[in-house]
Amino acid sequence: SDTYLWEATFADGQLPSFTVFDFQMNYAVPSIKSIFKVGGSNILADEYFSAIGTGAVGAIYYVSWTINN
């Protein structure tokens, strides 16, 4: 996201630009009717702010197993 001006009733301010990198990898196992997933959002963990007065957004990582797919 590019730098932008945030205006609200409680605060105004310039937010710096930021870049996030998301990733997901899936692996299907038809013999057990399953899909395994591993991934993350903002995996480089560069914290950023999306609005004035909010907390920093960090990274999230996950592992998933979908059965009977």
Side-chain angles (χ1 to χ4, degrees):
S1 177
D2 289 337
T3 299
Y4 59 94
L5 176 63
W6 175 265
E7 296 180 306
T9 56
F10 61 90
D12 298 337
Q14 193 78 16
L15 289 166
S17 64
F18 60 89
T19 301
V20 297
F21 182 70
D22 301 337
F23 175 80
Q24 178 176 305
M25 185 172 56
N26 303 337
Y27 182 72
V29 184
S31 62
I32 58 172
K33 297 182 179 179
S34 295
I35 297 176
F36 296 91
K37 298 178 182 181
V38 61
S41 178
N42 192 19
I43 63 172
L44 300 177
D46 292 331
E47 292 185 346
Y48 62 92
F49 293 91
S50 60
I52 298 294
T54 64
V57 179
I60 185 168
Y61 307 97
Y62 58 86
V63 176
S64 169
W65 178 11
T66 304
I67 304 171
N68 198 19
N69 191 14

